[in-house]
Amino acid sequence: MTPDHISLHNKQFEPYLSAAQLASAIQQVAARLNHDYHGQTPLFVAVLNGSFMFAADLLKEITLPCEVSFIRVASYQGTSSTGEVKEVLGLTEELAGRHVVILEDIVDTGHTMRMLLDTLAEKQPASLEVATLFLKPECLQYELPIRYVGLSIPNDFIVGYGLDYDGLGRNYPDVYKAV
């Protein structure tokens, strides 16, 4: 049962998207990936921490041979983003000539995704795509080739399903927005 609101730190949140709505969006993204990569063996690169639930549920729907890797991107200094990816942590796979799909929980300004795309493109993959559960189009500050989008949403502050507020809220199966 979904609580009618949750409190995290000093903020209140109300229900926004149900687990069923998320599952439907993920199934649609998976169907497109299964179609587009038929006959291929893509490497899915999940960006931690936020994408862990999305990546797990998406990959359960992938019906083709694939590999999975997890990375962390260091772009923060203190509590604010520097807007520059300093380091990609955990990527040990060779990307040259591979079909790579980055799995991200949310793309808003696009700073981190732009730098991540540039960094991974230097490794000469055969193709490089992005699959994100959430996209905030009104926040984007870059033209990004985001081919797979689960849900386009307004510029609301959301938590749950892997997204957090200062470390809390990732564990909820539904998504909540700040009130």
Side-chain angles (χ1 to χ4, degrees):
M1 184 169 149
T2 302
D4 61 356
H5 82 281
I6 58 173
S7 293
L8 301 174
H9 297 296
N10 60 343
K11 290 196 181 300
Q12 298 295 311
F13 296 84
E14 64 185 11
Y16 182 54
L17 294 164
S18 69
Q21 289 171 293
L22 299 172
S24 177
I26 290 167
Q27 288 167 353
Q28 290 175 21
V29 170
R32 288 188 57 214
L33 288 163
N34 285 326
H35 175 268
D36 292 353
Y37 288 93
H38 180 76
Q40 306 290 333
T41 305
L43 170 63
F44 291 100
V45 178
V47 182
L48 297 174
N49 286 341
S51 74
F52 78 99
M53 283 192 179
F54 170 54
D57 288 345
L58 177 76
L59 290 164
K60 290 175 194 173
E61 301 290 330
I62 297 298
T63 58
L64 43 89
C66 65
E67 292 182 50
V68 182
S69 185
F70 298 88
I71 62 170
R72 288 189 75 167
V73 179
S75 64
Y76 281 77
Q77 190 168 34
T79 59
S80 59
S81 175
T82 63
E84 179 180 336
V85 174
K86 303 250 186 245
E87 191 174 5
V88 175
L89 309 168
L91 187 64
T92 57
E93 288 79 8
E94 178 63 43
L95 301 188
R98 309 263 329 255
H99 296 285
V100 178
V101 180
I102 300 168
L103 302 180
E104 182 65 291
D105 57 346
I106 188 166
V107 176
D108 45 34
T109 64
H111 290 301
T112 299
M113 188 53 63
R114 172 77 272 145
M115 298 302 177
L116 186 55
L117 284 165
D118 290 346
T119 300
L120 296 184
E122 291 174 4
K123 300 181 183 299
Q124 301 178 340
S127 66
L128 181 59
E129 299 291 348
V130 176
T132 185
L133 179 55
F134 299 110
L135 175 66
K136 292 184 177 181
E138 65 192 60
C139 296
L140 275 177
Q141 298 177 11
Y142 298 92
E143 288 286 326
L144 294 174
I146 301 177
R147 188 167 181 182
Y148 306 96
V149 176
L151 297 161
S152 288
I153 62 171
N155 189 20
D156 293 317
F157 184 64
I158 59 174
V159 299
Y161 201 75
L163 294 111
D164 75 304
Y165 172 45
D166 286 343
L168 297 178
R170 291 188 197 277
N171 57 305
Y172 292 100
D174 303 298
V175 171
Y176 295 80
K177 69 177 179 177
V179 292

